[in-house]
C-alpha cells in the first residue's frame, strides 16, 4: 500500500512538473520569437542619418504624449538661441523609394513625405513647408526631400520637422547615426548626412 502511495505521489509530482513545463513553453517560445524578431529588425535597420545638412546641430525631442509615440520633433536655433528652422533643407536619412508625398487633411501631419527603405523600413517627414519629391521617385541618402515648415490641417504649430522611423507598419524607437532615441528625451545632435 505504501509503495502505491509513493508511486502515486511520484507520478503526481512528475505530472505537475510536466504541466508546469508545458505551461511555460508557449511563453518561452513567444519570448524567443519576440527576441528573434527584434534581432531581425536590428539587422535590417538602415544606417539612418539625421535628415539635415552635414555639420548642422539640431535639438530633437520625443516628449511624453507625442503622437505617435517614438516620433522626434527637430528644431534648429541660431547662435542667440532663436529658432531658425523654417525653410531649412530636409534630407533623406537613408536611400529608398518615395512611397507617398501629400498634404494630409485628415491628420495633423500637413505636407508629408514617406520613404521606403526595404525590409519593412520607412521614414516619415511631416509639417514640411515644401515637398521636393513625388511618389515613385528614387532618392539617395542626403538628397533633399523638402524644407522645414509648420503645415497642419488640424493644429496651429511652430516650425519644426516631425520625424518617424517605421518598421513593419509601426513607429519604433529611432536610431539616428548610431544614437538610440529612447522615449521622453530632448538632446542635441550634429548631422553627418552627406559629410
Amino acid at each position: 500500500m505504501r509503495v502505491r502511495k509513493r508511486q502515486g505521489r511520484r507520478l503526481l509530482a512528475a505530472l505537475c512538473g510536466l504541466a508546469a513545463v508545458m505551461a511555460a513553453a508557449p511563453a518561452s517560445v513567444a519570448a524567443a520569437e519576440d527576441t528573434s524578431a527584434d534581432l531581425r529588425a536590428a539587422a535590417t535597420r538602415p544606417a539612418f542619418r539625421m535628415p539635415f545638412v552635414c555639420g548642422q546641430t539640431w535639438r530633437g525631442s520625443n516628449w511624453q504624449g507625442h503622437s505617435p509615440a517614438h516620433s522626434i520633433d527637430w528644431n534648429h536655433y541660431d547662435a542667440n538661441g532663436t529658432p531658425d528652422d523654417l525653410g531649412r533643407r530636409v534630407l533623406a536619412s537613408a536611400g529608398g523609394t518615395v512611397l507617398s508625398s501629400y498634404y494630409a487633411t485628415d491628420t495633423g501631419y500637413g505636407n508629408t513625405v514617406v520613404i521606403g527603405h526595404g525590409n519593412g523600413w520607412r521614414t516619415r517627414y511631416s509639417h514640411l513647408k515644401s515637398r521636393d519629391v513625388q511618389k515613385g521617385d528614387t532618392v539617395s541618402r542626403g538628397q533633399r526631400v523638402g524644407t522645414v515648415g509648420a503645415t497642419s490641417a488640424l493644429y496651429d504649430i511652430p516650425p519644426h520637422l516631425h520625424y518617424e522611423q517605421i518598421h513593419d507598419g509601426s513607429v519604433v524607437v529611432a536610431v539616428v547615426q548610431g544614437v538610440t532615441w529612447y522615449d521622453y528625451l530632448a538632446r542635441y545632435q550634429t548631422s553627418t548626412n552627406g559629410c
Side-chain angles (χ1 to χ4, degrees):
M1 187 80 152
R2 286 185 181 176
V3 172
R4 283 189 181 162
K5 282 185 179 179
R6 272 191 236 142
Q7 287 176 342
R9 285 187 208 144
R10 286 182 188 155
L11 181 60
L12 182 60
L15 289 173
C16 289
L18 181 60
V21 169
M22 296 294 285
S28 301
V29 170
E33 288 174 1
D34 289 347
T35 301
S36 64
D38 291 344
L39 291 174
R40 280 193 308 274
T44 63
R45 183 190 294 264
F48 291 117
R49 302 295 174 117
M50 287 179 66
F52 306 110
V53 174
C54 175
Q56 290 184 353
T57 299
W58 289 70
R59 181 182 186 273
S61 174
N62 57 1
W63 36 277
Q64 187 169 4
H66 197 194
S67 181
H70 315 311
S71 54
I72 302 172
D73 282 351
W74 293 100
N75 290 101
H76 191 274
Y77 300 90
D78 67 15
N80 298 319
T82 304
D84 70 346
D85 39 6
L86 182 64
R88 285 188 177 265
R89 289 177 281 173
V90 175
L91 312 179
S93 50
T97 302
V98 177
L99 301 177
S100 53
S101 177
Y102 62 96
Y103 183 84
T105 58
D106 58 339
T107 68
Y109 283 132
N111 277 319
T112 300
V113 170
V114 178
I115 301 173
H117 307 286
N119 296 311
W121 286 99
R122 298 176 178 194
T123 48
R124 182 187 326 265
Y125 313 79
S126 297
H127 308 311
L128 300 170
K129 180 179 180 180
S130 66
R131 292 176 281 119
D132 298 341
V133 293
Q134 299 303 314
K135 182 178 179 178
D137 288 352
T138 299
V139 296
S140 56
R141 183 176 70 201
Q143 181 175 334
R144 180 175 161 156
V145 297
T147 58
V148 174
T151 60
S152 174
L154 302 179
Y155 308 108
D156 183 19
I157 57 174
H160 69 281
L161 177 69
H162 175 94
Y163 174 82
E164 300 171 11
Q165 289 180 4
I166 302 164
H167 187 251
D168 289 341
S170 297
V171 179
V172 296
V173 172
V175 177
V176 182
Q177 298 171 183
V179 175
T180 302
W181 281 79
Y182 296 107
D183 289 341
Y184 318 138
L185 287 179
R187 70 171 112 183
Y188 287 86
Q189 191 170 6
T190 301
S191 178
T192 61
N193 198 340
C195 294

